[in-house]
């Protein structure tokens, strides 16, 4: 159950935020600026690549690396395939994870290693394997980590992870891995790199605009603003006790919706499903008419349910980046949802801008909403630290 009174109590929110999640979301713009500076100091701005890579491979643990790979894939489009490398292992602990290069990967491909930890032996082994194949390797990880030594030793490019002055590498890895600030700390140096190799348009002036957009969005979504004027708090209140069906439309909205579903589960303990329109209408349509339908209750209406947990009911979340050309499946999505008495929440950018700025605003609002749900949901506590 969501304690909505907590949403409008900034001091209580701060007290409940033992993991610094709101601070991480609010600092996203600052992280972009710091990460861009780290990228420049590492020499990315001075690179003179001979051409585009054939493919971009991305390996790293957890939600942050998966989100980075998805976002890069959306922005790169048809310029080059982006291949996330999934880890194997017996546990999610850094020492238990292993990655492997596909057989076709070679000297014309680029390997990216974003991680908030840097102690994963599997990533160091992967960097060595890539070096033997002649691949270019670029890593973003905490400074002085074992991965930094491995990448530098294999003639790769290492960029130190941007962290706030008050934050240690251990805190980043254990507490803030799913936060918005950490995502941008990993994502920004790789954007600068991909701009240099011609896969993404992200020169310094664009990154500064992204940081400014994140700052403005944080002002609109911050804890001091009341729910009625705060899009993230409103979003959180609407999604409480529901099964969110996140339906996205547009290249930038797709990875944002998938990250939103992942962060809702990781931070707020709320299951969610993400799908892209128009395919989501078919993929999730039965959920609107089955057990999770708004009016689904096969038992006697008059039975006493005071002591029973509230059942999750589907709620459609339309997440759009304003598709070009006026061709949109949004009306069909609303019609399908409302035809099954299912509530609809909608989110789209409030400002004009390019794909990267649009993506930044959508990420910021959804990340803030997930944090508010995590803090105001009764019974949701921080997970134990990794061994």
């Amino acid at each position: 159950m969501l304690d909505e009174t907590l949403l409008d109590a900034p001091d209580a929110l701060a007290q409940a935020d033992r993991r610094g999640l709101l601070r991480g979301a609010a600092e996203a713009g600052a992280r972009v600026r710091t990460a861009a500076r780290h990228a420049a100091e590492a020499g990315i701005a001075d690179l003179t690549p001979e051409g585009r890579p054939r493919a971009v491979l991305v390996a790293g643990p957890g939600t942050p690396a998966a989100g980075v790979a998805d976002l890069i894939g959306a922005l790169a489009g048809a310029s080059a395939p982006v291949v996330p490398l999934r880890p194997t292992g017996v546990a999610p602990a850094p020492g238990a994870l292993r990655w492997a290069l596909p057989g076709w990967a070679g000297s014309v491909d680029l390997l990216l290693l974003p991680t908030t930890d840097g102690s994963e032996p599997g990533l160091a082994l992967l960097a060595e394997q890539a070096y033997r194949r002649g691949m270019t390797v670029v890593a973003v990880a905490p400074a002085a980590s074992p991965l930094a030594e491995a990448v530098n030793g294999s003639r790769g490019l290492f960029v130190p992870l941007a962290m706030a002055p008050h934050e240690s590498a251990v805190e980043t890895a254990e507490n803030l891995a799913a936060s918005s600030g950490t995502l941008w700390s990993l994502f920004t140096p790789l954007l600068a790199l991909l701009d240099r190799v011609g896969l993404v348009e992200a020169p310094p002036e664009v990154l500064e605009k992204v940081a400014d957009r994140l700052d403005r969005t944080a002002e609109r979504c911050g804890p001091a603003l009341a729910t009625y004027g705060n899009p993230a708090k409103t979003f959180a209140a609407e999604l409480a006790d529901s099964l969110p069906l996140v339906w996205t439309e547009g290249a930038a909205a797709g990875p944002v919706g998938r990250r939103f579903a992942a962060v809702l589960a990781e931070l707020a303990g709320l299951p969610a499903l993400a799908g892209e329109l128009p395919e989501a209408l078919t993929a999730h349509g039965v959920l609107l008419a089955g057990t999770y339908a708004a009016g689904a209750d096969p038992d006697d209406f008059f039975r006493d349910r005071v002591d029973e947990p509230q059942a999750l009911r589907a709620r459609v979340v339309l997440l759009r980046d304003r598709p070009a050309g006026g061709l949109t499946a949004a009306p069909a999505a609303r019609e399908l949802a409302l035809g099954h008495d299912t509530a609809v929440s909608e989110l789209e950018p409030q400002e004009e801008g390019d794909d990267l700025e649009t993506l930044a605003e959508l990420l910021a609002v959804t990340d803030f909403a997930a944090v508010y749900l995590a803090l105001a949901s009764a019974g949701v506590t921080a997970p134990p630290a990794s061994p």
Side-chain angles (χ1 to χ4, degrees):
M1 297 292 291
L2 185 78
D3 182 2
E4 293 194 33
T5 61
L6 188 65
L7 292 178
D8 288 328
D11 292 340
L13 279 172
Q15 185 175 1
D17 190 14
R18 298 188 299 275
R19 302 169 65 191
L21 296 173
L22 277 174
R23 184 177 60 204
E27 292 175 347
R31 295 295 185 93
V32 169
R33 296 185 182 93
T34 303
R37 186 175 70 252
H38 286 188
E41 293 171 351
I44 286 180
D46 299 325
L47 294 177
T48 54
E50 297 179 357
R52 294 179 177 179
R54 178 183 61 178
V56 178
L57 295 86
V58 185
T63 302
V68 166
D70 202 5
L71 292 167
I72 290 175
L75 292 172
S79 299
V82 177
V83 182
L85 302 181
R86 306 298 182 188
T88 59
V90 297
L97 298 176
R98 293 293 183 271
W99 290 262
L101 291 174
W104 51 263
S107 60
V108 292
D109 302 312
L110 172 65
L111 175 63
L112 306 179
L113 305 177
T115 175
T116 59
D117 190 305
S119 67
E120 305 91 344
L123 287 181
L125 292 172
L126 185 68
E128 294 173 4
Q129 182 185 5
Y131 172 67
R132 291 194 298 270
R133 296 200 193 180
M135 297 178 65
T136 301
V137 180
V138 179
V140 182
S145 63
L147 182 60
E149 297 179 10
V151 171
N152 288 327
S154 60
R155 300 181 184 177
L157 178 63
F158 175 77
V159 182
L161 181 69
M163 295 185 292
H166 55 75
E167 177 185 309
S168 70
V170 173
E171 289 175 329
T172 301
E174 294 182 350
N175 298 333
L176 305 177
S179 79
S180 181
T182 301
L183 174 73
W184 286 101
S185 293
L186 294 170
F187 188 32
T188 303
L190 301 181
L191 283 174
L193 171 71
L194 296 175
D195 176 73
R196 294 299 299 167
V197 300
L199 293 182
V200 172
E201 289 289 335
E205 58 272 19
V206 169
L207 294 179
E208 184 61 33
K209 288 181 180 179
V210 167
D212 292 341
R213 178 75 71 97
L214 287 169
D215 287 343
R216 291 195 297 271
T217 307
E219 291 176 0
R220 293 192 292 117
C221 297
L225 294 183
T227 300
Y228 67 84
N230 187 317
K233 288 184 179 180
T234 301
F235 219 27
E238 291 175 349
L239 297 185
D241 304 316
S242 71
L243 173 64
L245 304 180
V246 185
W247 293 352
T248 65
E249 190 170 57
V256 174
R258 289 186 286 273
R259 172 178 162 81
F260 187 35
V263 173
L264 282 175
E266 184 169 338
L267 295 184
L270 183 67
L273 297 173
E276 297 190 15
L277 292 174
E279 291 89 346
L281 301 179
T282 301
H284 297 165
V286 176
L287 292 170
L288 302 183
T291 306
Y292 297 101
D297 190 354
D299 299 324
D300 181 8
F301 176 79
F302 296 100
R303 177 167 54 82
D304 185 6
R305 302 178 180 81
V306 173
D307 296 327
E308 296 181 7
Q310 182 176 347
L312 292 179
R313 299 301 181 207
R315 184 181 189 96
V316 169
V317 178
L318 285 181
L319 189 62
R320 300 192 296 151
D321 62 3
R322 297 176 178 166
L327 183 63
T328 173
R334 297 187 193 99
E335 182 179 356
L336 178 63
L338 298 178
H340 289 93
D341 297 322
T342 300
V344 179
S345 297
E346 299 195 35
L347 178 65
E348 59 182 40
Q350 298 300 302
E351 301 180 34
E352 298 292 337
D354 61 19
D355 286 347
L356 196 51
E357 291 178 75
T358 294
L359 184 148
E361 181 178 337
L362 293 177
L363 278 172
V365 176
T366 52
D367 279 345
F368 265 106
V371 169
Y372 286 129
L373 270 169
L375 298 181
S377 297
V380 176
T381 58
S386 302

